[in-house]
Amino acid sequence: MPRLGVNIDHVATLRQARGGREPDPVQAAVVAELAGADGITIHLREDRRHIQDRDLRLLRESIGVILNLEMSLSPEILELAIVVRPDQLTFVPERRAELTTEGGLDVVGLRDRIAPMLDRCREHNLIASLFIDPDPAQVEAAIALGVDAVELHTGRYANAAGSKAIAVEFAALRRASEAIVAAGIELHAGHGLTLKNTGPIAAISGMKELNIGHAIVARAVFVGLDRAVREMKDAITAASATNRTAIAAG
Ligand code: PXP
């Protein structure tokens, strides 16, 4: 069954809206862990618009589950990560004006910038993941770099309208997943996943981690974070159980 990594950036966004101390993403992480989250994901952006350096440091000391740090190809943030030592680094593209991460990392075009960052991770025994679109050229380039994990961007699937378009995007994710698993690279996915659309992604063979933020924090406004995390965990568990039954039935 895939791990659930709860992305708590939006809790920090709410805190930054008033520039004070509340709500504290570190407290949110503890609640999420107690509710069954297998990991906590944060994106320390270069402009520090939500998560702050202090959050990274306190989370490293507070939580017992996997701490996954999303970051751009910033040498300065990599040096900070080498000191703080999250359990996993996920490299993502970053543009100042974007509302959220808009597409996958262009591994084909940025190979020469990514390779030295991955070398530095290896030197310091840090697990590295690349967040990419499920496009064959990007998948091939990520495999060629010998990265530890790949997180497939599920945004196009999540935004697809109509069953035909959804099927096309899902097929792309499945093909990319097969190639990644066949290459012996750990398979992750995330972005835009909700209670409604997570099941098929959770059931992809070899899926090891799903990173989900907005849907959980949005739901938490109405039902509380504990329940919102439990509901997503249940959806992932149900989808994986269905998958196991289907495999057993041949
Ligand atoms: N994975 C990555 C690499 C992301 O950048 C994000 C958004 O910060 C997510 C997962 C979570 O996306 P969402 O908030 O839409 O669930």
Side-chain angles (χ1 to χ4, degrees), residues 1-7 32 36-41 64-68 87-90 127-129 148-151 185-190 193 198 201-204 206-213 216 229 232-237 240 244:
M1 189 173 78
R3 302 186 289 264
L4 169 61
V6 176
N7 182 314
D38 305 292
I40 298 296
T41 292
V65 290
I66 292 171
L67 178 60
N68 175 34
D87 298 294
Q88 180 174 285
L89 304 186
T90 300
I127 291 174
S129 174
D148 301 302
V150 164
E151 179 172 336
I185 292 173
E186 190 168 291
L187 175 64
H188 305 167
L193 296 179
T198 294
I201 304 296
I204 288 177
M207 185 60 70
K208 289 283 189 279
E209 179 179 300
L210 299 175
N211 287 302
I212 307 179
I216 292 175
V229 171
M232 193 59 83
K233 258 308 260 198
D234 288 349
I236 293 170
T237 307
S240 315
R244 274 199 305 276

Side-chain angles (χ1 to χ4, degrees), residues 176-228:
S177 297
E178 279 168 8
I180 291 160
V181 171
I185 292 173
E186 190 168 291
L187 175 64
H188 305 167
H191 210 282
L193 296 179
T194 65
L195 274 179
K196 266 194 172 162
N197 66 19
T198 294
I201 304 296
I204 288 177
S205 181
M207 185 60 70
K208 289 283 189 279
E209 179 179 300
L210 299 175
N211 287 302
I212 307 179
H214 187 268
I216 292 175
V217 176
R219 179 98 177 119
V221 171
F222 298 108
V223 302
L225 185 56
D226 178 274
R227 183 163 148 194

Side-chain angles (χ1 to χ4, degrees), residues 5 7 9-10 41-43 45 50 68 70 90-93 100-102 131 151-154 189-194 210-216:
N7 182 314
D9 292 348
H10 290 297
T41 292
I42 53 171
H43 184 173
R45 296 185 71 104
H50 40 53
N68 175 34
E70 291 177 9
T90 300
F91 291 97
V92 301
T100 180
T101 313
E102 283 167 356
F131 180 57
E151 179 172 336
L152 288 176
H153 192 319
T154 48
H191 210 282
L193 296 179
T194 65
L210 299 175
N211 287 302
I212 307 179
H214 187 268
I216 292 175

Side-chain angles (χ1 to χ4, degrees), residues 132-153:
I132 62 169
D133 289 320
D135 297 334
Q138 298 296 341
V139 171
E140 239 175 73
I143 291 172
L145 279 170
V147 71
D148 301 302
V150 164
E151 179 172 336
L152 288 176
H153 192 319

